[in-house]
Amino acid sequence: MKITALRPDFTQLEQELLTVFYFEDQDTASFTALKQQSPTLIDSLLKKKALSAKLGSVTPLIGHANLPCSHLLVIGCGKIADFSERSFIATIKTLVVEAKKSVSTSVAIAIDEIKPAQRSTRWCVEKATETLLTGLYQYDTTKSKKAEPSVLTHIAYLAGEQDLELAMQTGKSMAHGINLARELGNLPANICDPTFLAEQSVNLADAYDEIDVEIIEEAQMTEMGMGAFLAVSQGSDKAGKIIVLKYNGGQAGQKPHVLVGKGLTFDSGGISIKAAAGMEEMKWDMLGAASVLGTLSAIAELKPAINVIGVIATAENMVSGGATRPGDVVTCMNGKTVEIINTDAEGRLVLCDTLTYVERFEPASVIDIATLTGAIVVGLGHHATGVYANDEQLQAKLLSAGLNSWDRGWPMPLWDDYKVDLESPYADFRNVGSRAGGSITAALYLSEFTQNYSWAHLDIAGTGWYSAKEGATGRPVAMLTRYLLDRAE
Ligand code: BES
Ligand code: MN
Ligand code: ZN
């Protein structure tokens, strides 16, 4: 995809498709140009009330207007004062759907005309690029009939400001990372298993000189005493793995930022088996891992001067004669013991040993990303990622990265008050609390393993995906990428 920036001149456009933004209460430059070039057409459309300014409405004008583009789309934008980031993204999503339908190879977007209050042209260009390129993604890998490839090859932003190269590149790389995470998420568990994730990681390391990869197998985990991780993996015929990807963009001695992704390629619940209805959704229980790969891919393309280590804790939670029983007590890598009350609370078990493992990197920060609890979906629904941290500054940085990339999180508490729920008569902890505050007790369990560094936990069970039709969202690749880019500046 070629992406460029041009100064707006609506009479000189070479693009096939021009989007004309139409507000209820103010004429944009593109609409004014259309009115000037084709006054009779616009007059009659206005008289017939055939042009709608309602947000998201589309009026295509093909071959009628006296403008050089063969195809015009008048896109309704509502009232100028109501036009928010949400409206901006909705408008770009409408645009990409219509651009696909129009079979145009190039599109011109007067981006300054739809700037939400408080946002810069650069922000709009970055977000529009990400939204356009993620809007073109279509899952078809396991279908015999492949999706029609899009013919769109050129996006031209019409903008007063011309220093937009970085914004375009950032949006593009974020989109590539997001689409990678979505594809890995959407693949079924019989294809995307721990070995597959390891292969994908090797491919990423092969593609970039800055990335090295190491894969830790179960034999090594046994040596390291990762009793909690192995208790999850032992019920499956597929071996679990810890994948370590190192992006070396900074100085050799510079402390790395570590991302740890939950990579349960399938979560049946184990002996505490899940209900049949909707169990297929648990192929998405590796979206934390997918977001780590997606973020590293974006970072590898953008090459900021920082060191990042992506760690993927991947296994399958299955049922077998060798599976862990409720009530089993295991010893974690840090020597603490845990009574496994519910084998379906497996994410925290694979993560706790992985979080102990990453201490050796002397990290600047550690962020784990996990589809950890159904409770966060009850609490925050599908719009906000739950953001926990043992360091308020780190939490604030992630919330601000989320706001800036419009991949938003919301702060959650890690108060000791909730901790009594994890007490066990037989071990140092039990692996589940009561039903109340289920996402918080899960985070508190993890906090027992992260006391030696600055740590945050993102519960993405609600935001990583929300319906079978839409599939994986690729969140929070944008938030994480923005967080890391900001650390380099
Ligand atoms: N992977 C699930 C959490 C989940 C639920 C993700 C719904 C996406 C959508 C996790 O392993 C799990 O099963 N959690 C249990 C914990 C409970 C047993 C304490 C849950 O949330 O019900
Ligand atoms: Mn589970
Ligand atoms: Zn799970």
Side-chain angles (χ1 to χ4, degrees), residues 264-292:
L264 265 289
T265 56
F266 190 72
D267 176 15
S268 71
I271 298 292
S272 316
I273 195 163
K274 288 183 181 291
M279 207 203 274
E280 72 284 357
E281 291 168 357
M282 285 302 119
K283 72 169 180 181
W284 278 307
D285 212 14
M286 38 58 73
L287 290 175
S291 76
V292 170

Side-chain angles (χ1 to χ4, degrees), residues 262 267 285 346 371:
K262 171 179 173 183
D267 176 15
D285 212 14
E346 84 299 335
T371 46

Side-chain angles (χ1 to χ4, degrees), residues 53 64 119 154 162 200-202 217 292 340 364 373 441 460 463 488:
H64 293 297
R119 296 296 186 180
H154 183 192
Q162 291 289 291
Q200 294 296 307
S201 305
V202 169
E217 304 289 349
V292 170
I340 301 176
T373 64
T441 49
I460 59 160
T463 49

